[in-house]
Amino acid sequence: MEYKDETTSISGSWNLGQWHWKHETAVLMQHFLASLKDKKVLGLKCPECGLVYCPPKPYCSCLSIPEEWVEISDEGVVTTFTFSGSWSYGGMEEGAGTPRIIVGVMLDGSNTEMLSQLEDADRDHVDVGMRVKVKWADEPQGTIEDVMHSLPA
Amino acid sequence: MRDVAVVGVGLSKHVSKRRDVNIPELVWEGVSAAYEDAGITPRDLDGIITGNMPAFEGVNLPELWGAGHWGAYNKPVLRITTGGTTGGSVGHGAFYAVASGLMDTVIAIAFEKQSDGDSTAGLNTVAVADMAPFLSYGIDPAFMLAFGGGAVGVAVYQASSYMKRSGCTPHHLDKVSVLCRTNAAKNPAAHLKQPGLTPEEVARTALMQYPLRFGHVCPASDGACAMILTTAEKAKKLTDKPAFIRSVASCSEEGALVGIAAAGTANTDPCAQEGCKVAAANAYRKAGIKEPRQEIDLAEPYAPFAHQLLMFYERLLLCDEGEAPSILDSGSMELDGALPVCPSGGVISTNAIGASALERIAEAALQIMGKAGEHQVEKDVHKAVAHGWGGAVNLNVVAVLADTPTPRG
Ligand SMILES: [Zn+2]
């Protein structure tokens, strides 16, 4: 038999846009999101080990049920970060598009992290440990996006 | 529980596009090499354990049209798919089958032919578990993408955090790529072979997303890996020098992806990888290894991104946290070093995703059997650890291999 570098291909496609599914918001999340409208960030505390989950979740890694709502700060600390868009790094001009700084933030009083877009900050000074605060809209909408922009604190 | 021996290993060639073969034919290259290496035929098999990434090639039951091609007529076929850990889970499944006494001789087959499908679409079906909360909070997926989606998106947050906590510098990342790609140059099955690569060359590759450059990231490969596992008694008849899988252990955490996974052990630092430490500790204990730092001769951590080689070296309990960068500097991880790491070239050189975690176990076995060829490490390998990372970035799988079975009693 003659072996070839390339054989005939038959192409096809799946339209993933036609693939529908649902995911429920759940009651805890609804309460968390509603409180954002009042510029309040809530966490759910585990009675057993004391960990505070923000956003909330209905079970703890210690196998207990977190059930106490606690208000946590809208200020916190950067835990990790990356940049996207164009910028200068290692002596080279890199990337393209609008520069963005994205940070992981652990809000004071919470034990979990959220991603946030950091604005009005100098990239060269962004680092793990930096203090930041939530940049609230004048009228928060009660969606997670309300807490996904931050400013240096 | 019975002792489990590896008696055959087979790898296909790995390249970015195999347009000359279809999936069953590509996989057959690895499978037939494993049969030949073990000196058995498909008639000697009791079952087939196989896996690849879900939906990556546009089909979700590839084992059913592939299995006949691989020798499974009238035999049990079981598919396991757990994201990036798939190959490791396939290896674990094969181990369980033999160790439990339910089957004597099995073949573990893992593969990916990424060029046949759309890996991004496939990854999205894996990522839905983490995306679903975002979407249900009413976030536009475009907003989410701005945060860096996909596997690289996960890796950059992990890399930033690891570098800060360990003192790993961009130069260390460059050196990891050199270690792996120059090892790959000696491995006929590897994909990205770069003999003579220098850290300076890696540092000049374009930035993918801070802090990772293209030179720090795995390629997308087509390839397959197969391993034949059997009982200690049957292994004796087939080879003088089998490798024994002493133990396997895995650990699933809640979503370890930084961000709003509505999950997490409250330990959401993506470089913490507590699950890897738990799995490694369990695997060493079951393997009768008390001092992994002294006893392990070789490590194959799953590292598609440069920082992960160092991070997982630490999380596999082979040194203190934050020590791996200086161990890399010492030369100990090289082929002639005290504890060689990724002699195969690792995932950063070759990533046929579904196969990658099985290839870590395969490399450990080859090194113990002394059959690695040009990339055989200088020291004698008595004990080795093989690792996989994946799932919804929350699963770690570990296997410990040795040249002797687990001491009992
Ligand atoms: Zn708890």
Side-chain angles (χ1 to χ4, degrees):
Chain A
M1 197 171 74
E2 185 195 350
Y3 282 85
K4 296 177 190 288
D5 289 340
E6 185 160 346
T7 63
T8 305
S9 294
I10 300 160
S11 302
S13 64
W14 302 113
N15 187 345
L16 292 179
Q18 292 298 307
W19 177 48
H20 299 289
W21 48 275
K22 291 196 180 86
H23 182 89
E24 315 309 333
T25 304
V27 178
L28 289 177
M29 190 54 63
Q30 231 148 13
H31 185 65
F32 170 81
L33 294 176
S35 72
L36 295 179
K37 283 190 185 171
D38 305 323
K39 301 190 182 178
K40 242 194 249 179
V41 186
L42 295 183
L44 201 59
K45 187 173 178 179
C46 173
E48 211 41 52
C49 70
L51 290 178
V52 175
Y53 292 88
C54 170
K57 55 173 237 179
Y59 50 92
C60 182
S61 54
C62 79
L63 307 181
S64 299
I65 309 294
E67 49 198 355
E68 183 194 349
W69 288 102
V70 290
E71 190 171 339
I72 62 176
S73 175
D74 63 356
E75 284 193 29
V77 65
V78 169
T79 56
T80 184
F81 61 95
T82 188
F83 309 117
S84 61
S86 63
W87 72 307
S88 165
Y89 171 64
M92 305 201 297
E93 293 307 313
E94 302 281 2
T98 314
R100 268 190 245 260
I101 305 169
I102 303 150
V103 293
V105 179
M106 192 178 285
L107 295 174
D108 297 343
S110 167
N111 295 106
T112 57
E113 300 168 20
M114 289 193 280
L115 289 180
S116 177
Q117 191 173 319
L118 180 62
E119 297 170 12
D120 298 336
D122 177 359
R123 284 191 201 201
D124 294 338
H125 293 111
V126 174
D127 203 353
V128 172
M130 179 184 180
R131 300 284 305 169
V132 294
K133 63 184 178 208
V134 172
K135 181 190 177 192
W136 293 101
D138 289 340
E139 284 188 35
Q141 297 300 301
T143 74
I144 198 71
E145 210 171 321
D146 292 337
V147 284
M148 291 200 125
H149 295 263
S150 52
L151 298 165
Chain B
M1 203 180 91
R2 303 193 297 180
D3 293 328
V4 179
V6 178
V7 291
V9 173
L11 291 150
S12 75
K13 267 198 310 191
H14 288 64
V15 294
S16 55
K17 290 187 178 67
R18 284 293 301 271
R19 301 315 322 160
D20 56 327
V21 286
N22 62 25
I23 292 176
E25 290 170 341
L26 169 72
V27 177
W28 174 248
E29 290 182 5
V31 167
S32 58
Y35 287 135
E36 196 177 319
D37 188 33
I40 68 165
T41 75
R43 290 181 204 289
D44 301 312
L45 284 185
D46 298 309
I48 289 189
I49 319 289
T50 181
N52 71 313
M53 292 290 280
F56 262 38
E57 286 83 5
V59 289
N60 227 327
L61 298 168
E63 76 281 13
L64 295 183
W65 46 259
H69 209 91
W70 310 328
Y73 285 118
N74 301 326
K75 300 277 168 76
V77 175
L78 180 63
R79 179 178 184 228
I80 300 176
T81 177
T82 60
T85 36
T86 290
S89 301
V90 165
H92 289 200
F95 171 87
Y96 292 143
V98 178
S100 65
L102 295 174
M103 295 181 184
D104 279 357
T105 304
V106 299
I107 187 166
I109 304 169
F111 63 90
E112 213 67 70
K113 193 160 186 287
Q114 294 204 57
S115 70
D116 269 17
D118 185 330
S119 297
T120 303
L123 269 180
N124 282 341
T125 71
V126 177
V128 160
D130 270 319
M131 280 163 52
F134 275 94
L135 296 172
S136 65
Y137 304 153
I139 297 178
D140 185 326
F143 178 87
M144 195 169 59
L145 281 175
F147 284 67
V152 171
V154 176
V156 292
Y157 297 111
Q158 188 181 65
S160 273
S161 179
Y162 174 72
M163 291 169 78
K164 179 67 184 182
R165 283 159 178 79
S166 67
C168 168
T169 64
H171 186 60
H172 286 115
L173 301 183
D174 302 338
K175 285 173 75 173
V176 166
S177 298
V178 169
L179 171 76
C180 289
R181 302 269 171 81
T182 53
N183 286 350
K186 299 177 175 174
N187 180 358
H191 177 178
L192 266 188
K193 304 171 189 183
Q194 296 181 287
L197 182 69
T198 64
E200 292 68 34
E201 286 172 299
V202 179
R204 283 198 294 273
T205 61
L207 193 70
M208 195 166 219
Q209 191 175 338
Y210 175 87
L212 298 177
R213 297 188 175 281
F214 276 89
H216 303 140
V217 176
C218 64
S221 315
D222 288 356
C225 174
M227 294 180 71
I228 292 169
L229 275 53
T230 191
T231 62
E233 292 69 35
K234 290 198 169 164
K236 254 182 228 156
K237 298 186 191 118
L238 292 167
T239 174
D240 294 336
K241 202 173 181 192
F244 292 89
I245 301 182
R246 280 198 175 183
S247 67
V248 301
S250 64
C251 178
S252 87
E253 294 183 89
E254 298 165 59
L257 171 63
V258 68
I260 192 155
T265 52
N267 189 354
T268 46
D269 178 353
C271 89
Q273 295 299 316
E274 294 292 332
C276 184
K277 288 150 69 175
V278 170
N282 284 337
Y284 294 138
R285 181 177 47 76
K286 290 194 250 183
I289 289 177
K290 292 191 178 67
E291 301 289 345
R293 296 177 191 198
Q294 276 88 55
E295 294 180 60
I296 293 293
D297 296 306
L298 179 144
E300 272 282 338
Y302 185 99
F305 305 101
H307 70 281
Q308 292 183 326
L309 183 140
L310 303 171
M311 180 187 77
F312 282 126
Y313 184 92
E314 295 172 9
R315 306 301 177 262
L316 289 167
L317 310 176
L318 298 173
C319 67
D320 285 345
E321 294 194 7
E323 244 181 12
S326 60
I327 293 175
L328 173 72
D329 289 336
S330 77
S332 151
M333 298 183 181
E334 316 265 336
L335 289 183
D336 60 356
L339 204 167
V341 182
C342 293
S344 65
V347 185
I348 201 172
S349 305
T350 310
N351 196 5
I353 303 184
S356 288
L358 186 64
E359 289 174 14
R360 310 282 67 74
I361 304 176
E363 176 68 13
L366 286 173
Q367 292 283 348
I368 286 169
M369 296 189 284
K371 292 202 282 202
E374 210 192 325
H375 62 290
Q376 181 74 42
V377 302
E378 205 168 280
K379 68 187 290 195
D380 288 339
V381 181
H382 301 291
K383 291 169 188 157
V385 61
H387 163 251
W389 171 76
V393 297
N394 67 335
L395 185 62
N396 277 277
V397 297
V398 175
V400 174
L401 289 85
D403 55 357
T404 53
T406 310
R408 309 230 185 259

